Amino acid sequence: MSERESWHKEIDLFLVAMGYFTRIPMPKWVEVDADKLNKASRYFGLVGLLVGLLCAIVFWLTQNWLPAGVSVLLSMVTGVLLTGGFHEDGLADTFDGFGGGWTAEDKLRIMKDSRLGSYGALALMLVLMLKWQLLVELALYDPVVAGSAMIVAHTVSRVVAASLIFTEKYVRDDESSKSKPLAQHQGINELFILIASGVLVLLVLKGIAALSLLLVMIGLRRLIVVIFRRQIGGYTGDTLGAAQQICEIVCYFVLLVVGSIL
């Protein structure tokens, strides 16, 4: 394969990842199949970087003439519009399933239901409120810090969530899923590129902030793995969405506590 063909392949995989996780229109020549989707998992973190950057730009452009809370809300709306609420939907479905089911089969059945239950509604409301409050506090500390936190959190949270594909078992057949197929296998090359994207983004932080966030994310990933294994024996697309949202919230919390970005 020539260097040009190699670059074209990587661009194609990135567009597959972006087309899957965002509502951004993709070129018509981009085709998706199971193999491409598995390999495209290497770029899930970069998709988060793009989403986080666009959210930060909206925040930075509006915070000079709007209250911090309004600017933060507009950045959050931007993220939801870009992704179609993909991860938030997974969060709500996961909490409905884990909260309302007694067995793994019950939990998976409830998660497949498109209706929103009380557990999911509460989780979604509380997570969005907490996200808004943490970002407002970061914005009041320093607008540059808040925007940087959006970029870092959107990227790192997706890296952690996507890394679950490498070690965990996919526990739902696509035929029974209410959503589009998800990457079910991740090779060592995909994992390496995925982690590298997260590490590179951490470089925008000062040493103590980057180290603190890295250690917390490693511990949080382990905790998420334990919970998912006990609840359903692995992961689904919904639980990856939940993992992303939880990791994003924890990123903001850590960065607020450390209070030392760029």
Side-chain angles (χ1 to χ4, degrees), residues 107-179:
K107 297 176 195 294
L108 291 170
R109 176 180 52 79
I110 293 171
M111 289 162 63
K112 187 173 64 175
D113 194 331
S114 60
R115 292 172 294 182
L116 179 63
S118 57
Y119 291 107
L122 285 169
L124 188 58
M125 178 182 67
L126 292 173
V127 164
L128 290 175
M129 289 175 59
L130 184 56
K131 187 184 300 186
W132 179 82
Q133 185 63 60
L134 290 169
L135 283 170
V136 168
E137 293 300 322
L138 285 167
L140 293 175
Y141 173 74
D142 187 338
V144 174
V145 168
S148 300
M150 293 176 193
I151 296 171
V152 171
H154 275 282
T155 306
V156 171
S157 63
R158 284 168 174 80
V159 168
V160 175
S163 72
L164 298 177
I165 302 172
F166 184 75
T167 59
E168 303 309 300
K169 177 184 177 183
Y170 185 68
V171 293
R172 170 172 290 153
D173 293 332
D174 289 333
E175 293 180 357
S176 68
S177 176
K178 66 180 176 63
S179 63

Side-chain angles (χ1 to χ4, degrees), residues 67-83:
V70 178
S71 293
V72 167
L73 184 58
L74 289 175
S75 72
M76 290 173 61
V77 170
T78 300
V80 171
L81 290 176
L82 285 171
T83 63

Side-chain angles (χ1 to χ4, degrees), residues 124-248:
L124 188 58
M125 178 182 67
L126 292 173
V127 164
L128 290 175
M129 289 175 59
L130 184 56
K131 187 184 300 186
W132 179 82
Q133 185 63 60
L134 290 169
L135 283 170
V136 168
E137 293 300 322
L138 285 167
L140 293 175
Y141 173 74
D142 187 338
V144 174
V145 168
S148 300
M150 293 176 193
I151 296 171
V152 171
H154 275 282
T155 306
V156 171
S157 63
R158 284 168 174 80
V159 168
V160 175
S163 72
L164 298 177
I165 302 172
F166 184 75
T167 59
E168 303 309 300
K169 177 184 177 183
Y170 185 68
V171 293
R172 170 172 290 153
D173 293 332
D174 289 333
E175 293 180 357
S176 68
S177 176
K178 66 180 176 63
S179 63
K180 49 191 174 181
L182 180 72
Q184 300 178 29
H185 305 285
Q186 191 175 72
I188 190 65
N189 289 336
E190 281 69 46
L191 180 66
F192 178 79
I193 295 172
L194 178 70
I195 293 176
S197 65
V199 171
L200 287 175
V201 169
L202 286 178
L203 295 179
V204 307
L205 305 177
K206 288 184 178 179
I208 185 64
L211 180 60
S212 298
L213 190 56
L214 177 62
L215 294 176
V216 170
M217 286 297 108
I218 292 174
L220 181 59
R221 184 190 186 281
R222 179 56 188 166
L223 178 61
I224 289 172
V225 165
V226 170
I227 293 173
F228 287 0
R229 287 179 180 177
R230 288 180 178 177
Q231 291 289 331
I232 58 174
Y235 76 93
T236 69
D238 287 329
T239 61
L240 292 188
Q244 186 278 322
Q245 288 289 293
I246 292 169
C247 289
E248 184 183 344

Side-chain angles (χ1 to χ4, degrees), residues 3 10 27 56 82 89 216 228 258:
E3 183 175 350
E10 296 305 316
L82 285 171
D89 178 67
V216 170
F228 287 0
V258 174

Side-chain angles (χ1 to χ4, degrees), residues 15 18-19 21-27 50-51 54 81-83:
L15 291 176
M18 187 162 63
F21 282 110
T22 75
R23 295 293 180 88
I24 299 174
M26 293 295 104
L50 175 63
V51 173
L54 292 174
L81 290 176
L82 285 171
T83 63

